[in-house]
Amino acid sequence: MKQGRVILADNHQNMLAGVRTLLESMFETVFMVADEASLIEAAEKLSPDLIVADLSLPVTKEINIARRLKKAFPGIKLIILSVHDEGTQWRMPVAGASGFVLKRTAAKDLVPAIETVMKGNSISLHQLYRQLKTSAGM
């Protein structure tokens, strides 16, 4: 059974298209935005069940999009996508994200991350370590 609404925020069109396909199989409605202002506006109007956002999405008021979203919407379920894996993932729980997925492994790791987060859980440090180890070919 499909979930409700998800917002996908990424300013890379190729990534948006690929992730959208994954999300459409899981959610009734997928809203796509490409900048911070559109993301904040959509989150205010739509009250999504989940936001999947690119960590590199440029922001104006915070250090990164995770902190910006958690400050504006404290109860939001948030998964961060990133091309960066050098220590970034360890800071995401502190920034308020429930999950972290590397873009290069999104095809394999995003659906399990969404399932975990939608059940009210967060991605554990053990799961992050396993994801990084797998993506590094270890």
Side-chain angles (χ1 to χ4, degrees):
M1 187 164 129
K2 289 187 176 186
Q3 306 278 340
R5 293 181 290 255
V6 62
I7 298 174
L8 172 59
D10 198 316
N11 57 359
H12 300 99
Q13 292 301 316
N14 291 340
M15 190 66 190
L16 274 173
V19 173
R20 180 182 185 171
T21 302
L22 288 172
L23 295 176
E24 285 176 333
S25 69
M26 300 181 73
F27 289 87
E28 292 291 331
T29 310
V30 178
F31 296 93
M32 298 190 317
V33 297
D35 59 63
E36 174 196 18
S38 299
L39 174 55
I40 299 301
E41 181 180 350
E44 287 172 348
K45 288 181 179 178
L46 304 172
S47 298
D49 299 292
L50 176 69
I51 295 176
V52 178
D54 180 5
L55 179 64
S56 300
L57 197 69
V59 293
T60 56
K61 295 185 179 182
E62 282 293 330
I63 209 163
N64 64 48
I65 196 63
R67 290 185 191 276
R68 173 79 169 101
L69 288 168
K70 281 311 229 183
K71 192 175 271 188
F73 310 100
I76 197 73
K77 291 178 180 164
L78 172 64
I79 294 178
I80 293 296
L81 293 173
S82 182
V83 296
H84 309 288
D85 60 359
E86 298 85 21
T88 304
Q89 70 283 358
W90 309 118
R91 293 190 300 271
M92 286 302 96
V94 174
S98 304
F100 176 90
V101 175
L102 293 169
K103 284 187 173 184
R104 70 175 170 261
T105 64
K108 177 176 62 78
D109 295 329
L110 185 57
V111 170
I114 290 170
E115 290 169 347
T116 298
V117 169
M118 293 306 293
K119 289 177 185 170
N121 300 315
S122 294
I123 305 300
S124 70
L125 292 179
H126 173 72
Q127 289 166 310
L128 286 173
Y129 175 74
R130 193 174 69 238
Q131 180 185 44
L132 289 173
K133 191 174 172 184
T134 301
S135 73
M138 301 169 120

